[in-house]
C-alpha cells in the first residue's frame, strides 16, 4: 500500500531558515490572536464550542498563505496578522456549517461540533466565528471588507451549487470546477489577497498572489477529493468515502464513470441513491482505486499547480516566492501516492 504520510504545508518554510524563523514567530502571534478572537470570559460555553476545532489543530494553510503573501510588502504589519486570523476563522465557520450539512461525526481527528453539542450550537458557533471575521476586516480597510464579502459570497454559492447539483444536461466537469473554484479557491485566494493588501504590496503583486491562491485552491480541493477515495479511514481526520456517501460527483467519480472498465458498474452502484451501505461504499471505493480515475484526477492537480506557479513567476524571486512554489509540490504530493501506484 502506498505511503500516506504527507509533508505539512508549514514544511515549506524549510526553503529558507531566516524566512522560516520569521514566519513561525508570526504564526505563533496568529495563534494567540485566533484564541483571543473566540475568547468569551463572560460565557465560556460559547467559547468552548467555537474554540473546539481551533484547538483540535488543522494544517493552517490559509494563515500560512496570508503570512507568505505579506512578505511581498511589510510582512511585519499588524494587518498581515489580522488577515491570517480572518481567513482561518472564516474557514472554521465554513467547517462548522459543512459538518452540520454532512452530519459529520469527526473533524480534525476529534468529534465534530455538531456531534458533540448538536446542530443548533454548531451553526450558531459558526455564525459567531463569521461575525468575528467581519469585526476584524472592518478594522482594516473598505477594500478588505469588499474582498472578504465577495469571497464569502462565493464560498456559500459554491456550497449551494454543490448541494443542488448541476442542471439537467449541464457539463458535469464544468459544474465541478465552478463549485470547487468557489468553495475552496475563493478562500485560498482571499488569504493571499488579504495578506498582500495588509502588507501594502503593489496592486500588480496583489493580483498575481490572488491568481496563485485561486489556482492552488482548486488543486488543493481536487487533491482533497482524491484523498476522500484513496486514504484509509482516519488518516485525514475524517472518514473515507464521505463524498461518495453523499452521492457527490467529485472529479475521481466523474473520471470513474468515463472509464470503460468500471463505468457501468459504478453508475449502477451510484444510481441506487446516496448513503450506501458499507458493502456498496467499499465496492465503489475499490473500483475507483483500481481505475485510472485517480491518475487522471492527479494530472488535473498538477495542471492547476502549474497555473499557480505561472502566476507566481511574475513576482520577484525571494524566499517567500520559493516557499509558495514549494507549497504547490506539497499539494501535488498529497494526491500523488495512489496515482503513481494504482491498486487492484
Ligand atoms: C459559513 C463561511 C461559511 C460558509 C458556508 C459550508 C459552506 C458555506 C462552505 C463549505 C466549504 C468547504 C467546507 C469547502 C471545503 C474546503 C476544504 C478543502 C476543507 C478542508 O481544508 P483543510 O484541509 O482543513 O485545510 P484543515 O482542518 O487542515 O484546516
Amino acid at each position: 500500500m502506498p505511503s500516506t504520510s504527507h509533508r505539512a504545508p508549514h514544511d515549506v518554510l524549510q526553503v529558507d531558515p531566516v524566512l522560516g524563523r520569521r514566519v513561525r514567530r508570526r504564526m505563533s502571534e496568529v495563534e494567540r490572536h485566533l484564541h483571543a478572537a473566540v475568547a468569551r470570559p463572560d460565557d465560556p460555553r460559547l467559547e468552548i464550542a467555537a474554540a473546539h476545532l481551533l484547538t483540535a489543530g488543522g494544517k493552517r494553510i490559509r494563515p500560512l498563505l496570508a503570512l507568505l503573501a505579506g512578505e511581498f510588502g511589510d510582512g511585519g504589519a499588524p494587518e498581515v496578522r489580522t488577515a491570517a486570523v480572518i481567513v482561518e476563522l472564516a474557514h472554521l465557520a465554513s467547517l462548522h456549517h459543512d459538518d452540520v450539512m454532512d452530519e459529520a461525526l469527526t473533524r480534525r481527528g476529534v468529534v465534530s461540533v455538531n456531534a458533540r453539542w448538536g446542530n443548533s450550537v454548531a451553526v450558531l458557533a459558526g455564525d459567531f466565528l463569521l461575525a468575528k471575521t467581519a469585526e476584524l476586516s472592518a478594522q482594516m480597510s473598505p477594500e478588505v471588507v469588499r474582498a472578504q464579502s465577495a469571497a464569502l459570497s462565493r464560498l456559500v454559492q459554491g456550497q449551494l451549487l454543490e448541494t443542488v447539483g448541476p442542471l439537467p444536461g449541464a457539463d458535469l466537469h464544468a459544474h465541478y470546477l465552478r463549485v470547487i473554484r468557489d468553495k475552496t479557491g475563493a478562500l485560498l485566494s482571499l488569504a493571499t489577497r488579504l495578506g498582500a493588501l495588509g502588507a501594502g504590496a503593489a496592486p500588480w503583486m496583489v493580483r498575481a498572489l490572488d491568481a496563485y491562491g485561486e489556482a492552488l485552491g482548486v488543486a488543493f480541493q481536487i487533491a482533497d477529493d482524491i484523498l476522500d477515495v484513496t486514504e484509509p479511514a482516519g488518516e485525514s481526520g475524517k472518514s473515507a468515502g464521505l463524498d461518495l456517501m453523499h452521492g457527490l460527483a467529485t472529479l475521481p467519480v466523474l473520471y470513474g464513470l468515463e472509464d470503460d472498465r468500471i463505468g457501468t458498474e459504478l453508475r449502477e452502484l451510484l444510481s441506487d441513491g446516496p448513503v450506501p451501505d458499507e458493502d456498496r461504499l467499499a465496492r465503489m471505493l475499490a473500483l475507483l482505486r483500481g481505475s485510472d480515475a485517480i491518475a487522471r484526477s492527479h494530472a488535473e492537480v498538477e495542471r492547476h499547480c502549474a497555473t499557480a506557479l505561472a502566476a507566481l513567476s511574475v513576482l520577484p524571486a525571494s524566499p517567500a516566492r520559493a516557499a509558495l512554489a514549494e507549497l504547490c509540490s506539497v499539494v501535488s504530493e498529497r494526491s500523488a501516492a495512489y496515482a503513481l501506484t494504482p491498486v487492484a
Side-chain angles (χ1 to χ4, degrees):
M1 178 178 282
S3 159
T4 52
S5 67
H6 308 292
R7 276 200 291 162
H10 286 251
D11 290 348
V12 302
L13 295 173
Q14 285 163 7
V15 299
D16 184 85
V18 178
L19 173 83
R21 272 194 296 279
R22 191 163 62 231
V23 173
R24 280 196 194 93
R25 200 177 55 243
R26 288 180 185 147
M27 200 64 196
S28 26
E29 281 290 290
V30 169
E31 287 298 324
R32 217 165 48 75
H33 282 259
L34 276 168
H35 285 277
V38 300
R40 287 297 302 259
D42 54 321
D43 191 344
R45 286 175 305 170
L46 180 53
E47 178 173 340
I48 288 167
H52 178 68
L53 289 182
L54 182 62
T55 312
K59 294 182 285 299
R60 303 286 197 262
I61 191 171
R62 294 157 190 82
L64 176 67
L65 283 169
L67 295 184
L68 287 174
E71 288 285 314
F72 292 85
D74 176 7
E79 287 82 358
V80 176
R81 184 189 64 220
T82 306
V85 172
I86 288 173
V87 288
E88 185 64 15
L89 291 178
H91 172 52
L92 277 170
S94 77
L95 296 183
H96 277 231
H97 289 190
D98 195 46
D99 286 346
V100 169
M101 287 185 280
D102 287 351
E103 299 175 29
L105 297 176
T106 57
R107 170 68 76 172
R108 291 184 163 175
V110 297
V111 60
S112 61
V113 179
N114 46 300
R116 174 110 182 238
W117 289 284
N119 285 348
S120 300
V121 169
V123 168
L124 291 167
D127 291 343
F128 170 68
L129 293 166
L130 206 56
K132 280 285 159 190
T133 69
E135 196 179 308
L136 291 171
S137 64
Q139 291 167 13
M140 289 178 66
S141 68
E143 190 175 4
V144 165
V145 175
R146 270 196 302 277
Q148 192 198 336
S149 324
L152 290 179
S153 153
R154 285 184 62 198
L155 212 66
V156 176
Q157 284 176 69
Q159 188 71 11
L160 191 60
L161 282 177
E162 180 176 282
T163 306
V164 297
L167 286 168
D171 178 332
L172 300 183
H173 284 268
H175 174 81
Y176 171 78
L177 196 59
R178 165 85 202 275
V179 164
I180 67 170
R181 270 193 212 289
D182 283 350
K183 78 167 191 176
T184 308
L187 194 47
L188 269 70
S189 66
L190 183 72
T192 45
R193 171 167 285 270
L194 294 197
L197 283 175
W204 65 273
M205 289 186 173
V206 177
R207 279 194 297 277
L209 287 160
D210 184 279
Y212 161 85
E214 175 106 8
L216 186 78
V218 171
F220 187 72
Q221 184 60 59
I222 300 174
D224 210 62
D225 292 342
I226 294 173
L227 291 179
D228 189 65
V229 173
T230 58
E231 284 277 80
E235 293 281 341
S236 57
K238 302 182 292 185
S239 1
L242 260 188
D243 296 332
L244 275 174
M245 283 280 288
H246 293 96
L248 285 183
T250 60
L251 194 59
V253 176
L254 293 180
Y255 281 141
L257 290 169
E258 288 166 13
D259 185 320
D260 286 344
R261 290 166 307 150
I262 70 158
T264 310
E265 186 179 351
L266 185 63
R267 189 165 289 105
E268 270 168 23
L269 290 164
L270 283 167
S271 66
D272 283 345
V275 197
D277 61 32
E278 229 169 79
D279 288 347
R280 182 151 65 99
L281 180 63
R283 180 66 189 151
M284 289 194 282
L285 289 174
L287 285 174
L288 286 170
R289 287 172 186 168
S291 74
D292 66 2
I294 305 303
R296 289 182 77 190
S297 304
H298 179 68
E300 283 299 295
V301 172
E302 298 215 308
R303 199 170 67 78
H304 291 283
C305 282
T307 306
L309 287 174
L312 275 188
S313 68
V314 304
L315 293 166
S318 67
R321 192 182 85 165
L324 289 171
E326 195 57 26
L327 203 48
C328 294
S329 304
V330 170
V331 166
S332 158
E333 282 163 19
R334 286 180 84 211
S335 59
Y338 272 89
L340 300 173
T341 322
V343 285

